[in-house]
Amino acid sequence: MDVREYIRKAVQALGAEAPFVELEVPKVAEHGDLSTPVAMTLARGLGRPPRAVAEEIAAVLSGEEPFERVEVAGPGFINFTFKREFLYGELGRLLKDPSRYLRKEMGKGQRLQVEFVSANPTGPLHLGHGRGAAVGAALSNLLQRAGYDVEREFYVNDAGRQVRLLGESIFSRYKEVLGLSWPFPQEGYRGEYVRGLAETLIRTEGERFKDSEFDEVAGEFIRFGVEQMLKEIEDDLRGFGVVFDRWQSERALYEEGLVQRCLDELRGKGKVYEKEGALWFRSTEYGDDKDRVVIKSDGSPTYFASDIAYHWYKIHRGFQGLINIWGADHHGYIPRIKAVIRALGYPEERLRVLLVQMVTLLRGGVPVQMSKRAGEFVTLREVVEEVGADTTKFIFLTRRPDSHLEFDIEVAKKESAENPVYYVQYAHARIQSIFAKAEEQGLELGEAAGLDRLKEEEEIGLIKKLLLYPLMFEGAVREMEPHRVTFYLQELAGLFHPYYNRHRVLGEEPGLSRARLSLCRAVMAVLGEGLSILGVTAPKRM
RNA sequence: GCCCCCUUAGCUCAGUAGGAUAGAGCACAGGAUUCCUAAUCCUGGUGUCAGAGGUUCGAAUCCUCUAGGGGGCACCA
């Protein structure tokens, strides 16, 4: 239903140009099925009153095939009402090839990389990581359906201080379990899982590190810890239904000389310089507050060094767009990384950073106390086990990522009967069940036919909503906002359930039943498509 | 001190690229099932869009200031 094309042509007939034709669904039914304020936007440039421009555009459009009525209203809106035959025709197209109708080609095979979660492999994933995972996965799915070639990547910070602290924490527990002692590192990881790791190590490696100093065996402890934690993280993510295409190790960036090569390139471009024994990156040249240290005066690299190399490497791997999904606490880091992109000679739009805000965990309205230092926190795994992956994801995806989220475990569970996710899934399951019944009754499903039998108000409403999916989809892709899908699905289910209650699909005269089955099939296809974007299951039975 | 994000109904949140009379769910009250799944449906009302200025035909949306909440400002990661 590309109404935009009609409008664009009509605008051109006036000798004007509309780079983007805004379309909206009017809040009031009297304003038609769809509306555009384009005349008002153009009026200024044309130096003419908005209503006059609107009248002229409307005059051109009123002859076009899809429209029953084209009206000018208010300050200069153009309101469209579709012909029934047009709606049936579009529904037929949707049914004929749902994925073609529902997945608008926007990416043209452009390669995009979405990097998300990227939690330090020093502990289990917590709920905040879960939010990033849900958003990242849904966004990736969304972009993929828009024709982008998407890679999902997890960046593993397996170099540097944090993993060393993990190693030493394990080492200390290792000694402790063996009845020896080793001072626990100041900022070590105090969670119970560290003791578990130490015990595992004793089981597999025995007591052979018993008399060692940490420095002698640091490499082994770090490698072991990282490996175990990564395994656990990957498991947790799988349990959450989130899978990555690629895991990029930070350590590998060093080992393969990529950090060095990248810094050399920057040096060649004059973007880094030596001062006071350290190597600095000229980020002020790109609007950052101050230049940033890349290599410290003791010769060791900062985190920034590998992050520079990492982004350099991503671009060199041929991605036209990089999307980073970060926790909001990293937002101060954005100007620095953008500066890197520009210093390397690429437009900063090459990188888009989406921030995901913090999650406050509640249980029955009371905040759950978490102490990172003491290693006490509620893990993603625990929440998924208690609440379920579908519900957890759905809750994450019913909020804008950049606003704080209160996640009340009790509410998420208690609501389970009236939880939004079930509301949507239930619509899907109900339709499945109608089909099962129809099959029992030997009713031919076959090709969509007799759609013009759908005359009930609820049916017309459903059809219109279905046909709006592409408009929603396009907006969600453009703005990279998967939560729009979530809201759309709730609205669609909100039209289906009343319809289901008021009208019967089966048991009507066969022609009508077949038409209604077709409508149901379309609703199911759209629900299924949307849920698959969100990574939420579409159950056949509930 | 400087910077970023947030503030919309009792609660949790939407509000699509500046558009018309600001919306859902929850909660609350009452009702619907001999019939395709009652995880459903129907009927009830709710707003100083944090506040004050500004930009314009038009602002919850853009700009400035103020208040409140969160986060960030290292040769930390």
Side-chain angles (χ1 to χ4, degrees):
Chain A
M1 175 167 67
D2 213 345
V3 176
R4 285 214 175 95
E5 273 315 305
Y6 289 105
I7 300 173
R8 199 170 287 129
K9 268 192 281 176
V11 168
Q12 277 164 1
L14 263 76
E17 205 52 60
F20 177 80
V21 177
E22 195 184 344
L23 278 181
E24 50 191 56
V25 182
K27 290 165 198 144
V28 196
E30 292 79 61
H31 292 157
D33 297 329
L34 220 48
S35 174
T36 180
V38 72
M40 291 182 283
T41 323
L42 289 171
R44 180 187 298 263
L46 294 171
R48 304 180 47 200
R51 278 199 69 111
V53 178
E55 292 289 357
E56 221 167 307
I57 297 174
V60 178
L61 286 170
S62 58
E64 297 288 359
E65 176 257 331
F67 309 117
E68 174 79 38
R69 282 198 313 279
V70 181
E71 293 166 322
V72 175
F77 290 96
I78 305 171
N79 297 335
F80 307 96
T81 307
F82 296 113
K83 284 182 185 152
R84 287 282 168 96
E85 302 86 81
F86 175 74
L87 298 178
Y88 299 138
E90 289 294 309
L91 179 60
R93 280 183 55 211
L94 192 166
L95 282 162
K96 195 161 183 196
D97 191 348
S99 54
R100 187 191 165 93
Y101 196 90
L102 301 174
R103 299 182 187 183
K104 187 177 164 138
E105 172 60 52
M106 295 166 77
K108 316 249 187 290
Q110 204 184 126
R111 291 187 65 209
L112 294 184
Q113 194 219 47
V114 183
E115 182 222 319
F116 57 111
V117 187
S118 299
N120 279 345
T122 51
L125 296 177
H126 58 247
L127 202 57
H129 295 128
R131 187 176 190 186
V135 170
L139 179 63
S140 301
N141 293 338
L142 184 67
L143 293 170
Q144 203 158 42
R145 281 161 180 71
Y148 291 95
D149 182 1
V150 179
E151 181 182 87
R152 300 157 175 82
E153 181 159 293
F154 188 118
Y155 181 54
V156 184
N157 293 118
D158 53 0
R161 180 158 177 269
Q162 294 309 313
V163 289
R164 188 179 170 84
L165 277 169
L166 173 71
E168 193 166 0
S169 303
I170 300 170
F171 184 74
S172 175
R173 295 296 186 219
Y174 177 91
K175 293 255 186 181
E176 191 183 301
V177 173
L178 295 179
L180 303 163
S181 99
W182 182 269
F184 198 84
Q186 262 298 303
E187 291 166 80
Y189 293 92
R190 293 178 183 277
E192 261 313 298
Y193 64 92
V194 175
R195 196 182 307 273
L197 290 175
E199 282 162 358
T200 304
L201 196 61
I202 291 168
R203 266 201 307 283
T204 55
E205 299 291 326
E207 304 186 3
R208 67 184 179 95
F209 304 112
K210 182 167 119 190
D211 301 317
S212 307
E213 300 282 307
F214 177 62
D215 281 345
E216 298 163 7
V217 296
E220 279 182 86
F221 273 79
I222 293 170
R223 197 170 315 118
F224 168 78
V226 167
E227 235 167 62
Q228 295 293 309
M229 287 323 308
L230 273 182
K231 211 176 286 172
E232 201 171 304
I233 286 171
E234 200 173 351
D235 265 9
D236 289 356
L237 287 170
R238 195 175 304 115
F240 194 45
V242 173
V243 178
F244 285 84
D245 300 311
R246 196 164 179 283
W247 299 66
Q248 173 63 46
S249 149
E250 179 190 9
R251 198 154 44 100
L253 295 177
Y254 285 104
E255 287 170 358
E256 291 163 21
L258 296 172
V259 177
Q260 199 52 53
R261 273 168 56 196
C262 174
L263 291 182
D264 288 345
E265 186 177 324
L266 285 170
R267 206 185 311 264
K269 291 176 189 277
K271 303 299 181 187
V272 292
Y273 62 94
E274 312 252 355
K275 192 181 89 184
E276 295 160 5
L279 188 68
W280 299 71
F281 172 66
R282 273 185 219 285
S283 45
T284 45
E285 214 172 277
Y286 306 96
D288 198 1
D289 299 341
K290 50 167 78 169
D291 287 344
R292 307 288 172 171
V293 170
V294 180
I295 306 285
K296 295 184 256 181
S297 52
D298 67 0
S300 64
T302 63
Y303 235 72
F304 190 39
S306 46
D307 278 346
I308 291 174
Y310 179 41
H311 286 84
W312 171 83
Y313 182 45
K314 288 203 238 190
I315 292 175
H316 278 252
R317 274 159 51 202
F319 294 107
Q320 283 107 341
L322 304 179
I323 299 162
N324 290 359
I325 296 181
W326 284 352
D329 53 340
H330 287 75
H331 75 262
Y333 209 65
I334 297 175
R336 242 172 282 182
I337 293 290
K338 291 243 177 195
V340 168
I341 305 284
R342 287 171 60 195
L344 290 167
Y346 303 97
E348 68 171 66
E349 298 81 54
R350 188 67 68 100
L351 171 69
R352 174 105 181 247
V353 181
L354 301 181
L355 296 177
V356 176
Q357 272 290 354
M358 314 269 115
V359 178
T360 311
L361 193 61
L362 306 174
R363 192 177 277 281
V366 185
V368 177
Q369 288 305 323
M370 284 192 257
S371 155
K372 205 171 178 185
R373 206 175 22 180
E376 291 167 12
F377 47 86
V378 178
T379 62
L380 174 64
R381 177 188 291 261
E382 288 165 340
V383 173
V384 167
E385 277 167 7
E386 194 170 340
V387 178
D390 281 345
T391 303
T392 304
K393 277 188 195 158
F394 205 85
I395 288 174
F396 284 145
L397 295 168
T398 354
R399 264 79 165 173
R400 270 190 7 257
D402 61 347
S403 64
H404 295 251
L405 168 64
E406 290 199 355
F407 191 105
D408 193 315
I409 297 187
E410 290 308 321
V411 173
K413 277 197 310 180
K414 187 189 78 182
E415 268 191 350
S416 66
E418 291 160 40
N419 203 306
V421 68
Y422 295 111
Y423 188 76
V424 174
Q425 289 181 317
Y426 190 48
H428 186 270
R430 271 185 152 173
I431 296 173
Q432 287 280 358
S433 143
I434 295 174
F435 282 128
K437 203 76 160 194
E439 202 172 345
E440 255 172 53
Q441 298 179 1
L443 204 61
E444 275 294 327
L445 302 185
E447 284 291 295
L451 297 179
D452 55 0
R453 300 290 303 275
L454 303 169
K455 293 187 195 308
E456 298 292 343
E457 195 187 328
E458 291 86 354
E459 291 169 337
I460 300 301
L462 268 172
I463 295 171
K464 286 177 180 170
K465 189 71 186 174
L466 291 171
L467 302 188
L468 284 171
Y469 181 92
L471 194 64
M472 178 284 297
F473 178 81
E474 205 180 319
V477 172
R478 187 187 60 232
E479 300 298 326
M480 300 193 182
E481 293 183 348
H483 72 273
R484 294 193 194 190
V485 177
T486 321
F487 281 89
Y488 173 89
L489 291 178
Q490 293 185 72
E491 289 160 13
L492 179 59
L495 291 177
F496 177 76
H497 287 305
Y499 173 59
Y500 180 93
N501 267 278
R502 245 180 311 243
H503 303 284
R504 296 191 58 75
V505 174
L506 305 176
E508 299 288 343
E509 166 275 305
L512 182 58
S513 276
R514 262 197 290 274
R516 288 184 173 172
L517 276 170
S518 294
L519 176 59
C520 285
R521 191 152 54 85
V523 173
M524 190 173 75
V526 173
L527 290 174
E529 173 72 8
L531 287 172
S532 79
I533 290 173
L534 304 180
V536 172
T537 57
K540 292 201 153 172
R541 198 171 299 127
M542 286 174 76

